[in-house]
């Protein structure tokens, strides 16, 4: 299993029921990290001090990380075999995290999107997990607000969604620079921090937030539009893994408006041509053929949140209303797996 990304591991996992993690909130507002399996059974529910967001599995280990929701000052290390807390790692003075991270293929180095809030500049903080998550260095981005990042299949390139939105922890999540935003999709050398490519959305208020990468290196990224509500620009970008061509995917006009200018999780299936994009505010899951960027159809799922591909070709999606459902790319209906008295956050993380 070492060397495979978590999502590829899911597709090749021989276990009948791999573990899926998500940040959840209880009905009384308490915050938890929940572990469940693809048939909807809860494995554990760990209390945490604050609401969490995205996560990642450390390859070839029983550790997975969940990040405090932006502007978060720490991340939690979870022992997935025992279903227990293993450690809590702080962001450090003058830094906060943006809720996402990814490991090197051997599981040693952890790369985390972070903000140096005195300067407002985004960085990738690098940690050595083999030394109790010692902070090693920072890579500068020449930009603001990095959010989700993934490792390219070449094992050497970080793919980074740069949101372009300036925030400060003293002002919670207030957006401080909407008129001067400069979002981008970045390709970075993970060993040197050198930015190899920078791709720019068609509008400076299209905040590039979440993404996933296919086995051929094709990147699907999702935007959140910060402009007027009555406008409905494209919210999905595609970087071709073969040609390097960057473009945006415009949905049919009636479908584009349904998304309400906000996308969340992106899930590229590693063994089919399909990609699922969730739009919580519009309560839609959009299915595309990521090989060529073709829109297929969308499915209504109220308050849909996280998404992950499953080994049988389907996707599992969670919802803020407590449901966990299966989606088949060729069907316009869903299958309910479970419904719990929990509010699921916007991301699902595969663990083992």
């Amino acid at each position: 299993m070492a060397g495979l990304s978590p999502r590829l591991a899911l597709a090749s996992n021989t276990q009948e029921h791999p573990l899926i993690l998500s940040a959840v909130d209880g009905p009384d507002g308490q915050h938890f990290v929940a572990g469940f399996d693809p048939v909807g059974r809860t494995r554990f529910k760990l209390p945490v001090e604050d609401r969490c967001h995205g996560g990642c599995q450390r390859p070839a280990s029983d550790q997975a990380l969940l990040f405090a929701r932006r502007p978060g000052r720490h991340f939690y290390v979870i022992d997935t075999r025992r279903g227990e807390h293993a450690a809590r790692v702080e962001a450090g003075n003058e830094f906060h995290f943006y809720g996402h991270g990814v490991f090197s293929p051997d599981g040693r180095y952890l790369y985390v999107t972070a903000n140096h809030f005195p300067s407002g500049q985004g960085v990738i903080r690098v940690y050595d997990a083999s030394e109790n998550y010692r902070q090693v260095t920072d890579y500068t981005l020449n930009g603001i607000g990095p959010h989700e990042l993934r490792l390219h299949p070449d094992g050497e390139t970080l793919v980074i969604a740069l949101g372009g939105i300036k925030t400060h922890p003293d002002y919670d999540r207030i957006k401080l620079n909407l008129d001067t935003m400069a979002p981008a999709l970045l390709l970075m050398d993970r060993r040197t921090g050198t930015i190899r490519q920078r791709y720019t959305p068609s509008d400076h208020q299209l905040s590039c937030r979440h993404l996933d990468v296919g086995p051929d290196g094709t990147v699907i990224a999702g935007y959140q539009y910060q402009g007027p509500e009555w406008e409905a620009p494209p919210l999905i970008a595609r970087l071709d893994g073969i040609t390097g061509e960057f473009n945006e995917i415009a949905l049919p006009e009636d479908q584009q408006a349904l998304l309400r200018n906000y996308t969340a999780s992106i899930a590229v299936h590693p063994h089919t041509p399909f990609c699922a994009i969730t739009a919580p505010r519009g309560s839609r899951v959009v299915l595309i053929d990521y090989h060529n960027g073709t829109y297929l159809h969308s499915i209504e799922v109220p308050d849909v949140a996280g998404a992950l591909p499953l080994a049988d070709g389907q996707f599992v999606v969670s919802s803020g209303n407590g449901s966990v459902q299966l989606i088949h790319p060729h069907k316009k209906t869903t299958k309910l797996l479970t419904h719990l008295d929990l509010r699921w956050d916007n991301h699902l993380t595969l663990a083992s």
Side-chain angles (χ1 to χ4, degrees):
M1 199 68 69
L4 294 179
S5 76
R7 288 171 187 254
L8 292 176
L10 177 59
S12 61
N13 202 312
T14 56
Q15 290 183 307
E16 183 179 3
H17 299 308
L19 178 67
I20 298 173
L21 300 180
S22 179
V24 298
D25 284 350
D28 57 358
Q30 281 192 286
H31 309 297
F32 300 91
V33 173
F36 67 105
D37 62 31
V39 295
R41 296 179 301 200
T42 301
R43 300 265 191 93
F44 58 80
K45 195 171 72 171
L46 290 174
V48 289
E49 294 179 7
D50 32 31
R51 186 179 177 186
C52 291
H53 191 56
C56 57
Q57 183 187 16
R58 183 181 178 191
S61 81
D62 294 323
Q63 291 185 351
L65 276 52
L66 263 291
F67 295 85
R69 191 174 179 84
R70 64 183 173 85
R73 300 291 189 93
H74 49 264
F75 61 80
Y76 298 96
V77 183
I78 308 297
D79 182 327
T80 55
R81 184 171 56 87
R82 297 176 179 273
E84 299 175 347
H85 290 287
R88 168 176 159 151
V89 178
E90 303 296 327
N93 291 335
E94 300 184 338
F95 286 87
H96 72 75
F97 297 134
Y98 279 110
H100 292 274
V102 69
F103 280 94
S104 59
D106 62 3
R108 179 172 180 181
Y109 293 107
L110 170 69
Y111 306 89
V112 183
T113 51
N115 176 30
H116 178 246
F117 54 80
S119 67
Q121 290 300 304
V123 301
I124 303 299
R125 301 216 93 180
V126 186
Y127 294 83
D128 189 338
S130 70
E131 297 185 13
N132 296 318
Y133 292 92
R134 178 177 63 86
Q135 197 258 324
V136 176
T137 192
D138 290 333
Y139 294 149
T140 58
L141 295 170
N142 190 25
I144 294 172
H147 197 69
E148 189 165 24
L149 77 172
R150 295 293 178 95
L151 186 66
H152 189 277
D154 66 12
E156 299 298 327
T157 305
L158 297 174
V159 187
I160 303 162
L162 186 70
I165 299 176
K166 184 177 183 178
T167 58
H168 190 287
D170 290 349
Y171 306 104
D172 193 24
R173 297 172 66 174
I174 296 176
K175 299 161 185 171
L176 304 172
N177 67 330
L178 293 183
D179 291 338
T180 58
M181 288 172 53
L185 178 68
L186 305 177
L187 302 184
M188 170 183 278
D189 186 314
R190 75 172 180 89
R191 297 182 188 273
T192 66
T194 302
I195 295 176
R196 295 173 173 165
Q197 297 288 340
R198 181 182 292 260
Y199 302 93
T200 304
S202 58
D203 186 294
H204 81 283
Q205 291 187 317
L206 284 168
S207 179
C208 189
R209 303 300 286 274
H210 296 108
L211 56 84
D212 199 6
V213 187
D216 66 349
T218 294
V219 180
I220 300 296
Y223 299 154
Q224 295 171 8
Y225 183 51
Q226 305 299 319
E229 293 183 4
W230 59 85
E231 296 181 355
L235 299 177
I236 304 169
R238 177 181 179 273
L239 175 62
D240 192 288
I242 306 301
T243 67
E245 181 181 2
F246 179 79
N247 55 35
E248 294 169 345
I249 300 171
L251 307 185
E253 187 173 350
D254 60 330
Q255 294 295 315
Q256 192 70 55
L258 288 176
L259 306 190
R260 296 183 60 190
N261 286 332
Y262 188 99
T263 63
S265 281
I266 311 291
V268 171
H269 201 287
H271 293 304
T272 76
F274 306 115
C275 174
I277 300 105
T278 68
R281 292 180 182 173
S283 295
R284 310 297 297 185
V285 180
V286 175
L287 278 301
I288 65 169
D289 182 331
Y290 82 89
H291 285 174
N292 53 31
T294 303
Y295 167 76
L296 299 175
H297 59 86
S298 74
I299 303 170
E300 183 177 7
V301 178
D303 201 10
V304 65
L308 269 182
L310 294 178
D312 62 3
Q314 300 184 91
F315 294 90
V316 59
V317 297
S318 58
S319 166
N321 69 14
S323 69
V324 180
Q325 303 183 51
L326 284 178
I327 288 178
H328 192 290
H330 294 302
K331 298 179 181 178
K332 295 188 177 181
T333 58
T334 66
K335 178 182 178 182
L336 181 66
L337 283 178
T338 188
H339 194 291
L340 303 173
D341 195 12
L342 296 171
R343 179 175 179 80
W344 299 83
D345 198 77
N346 277 355
H347 300 287
L348 300 174
T349 298
L350 179 75
S352 59

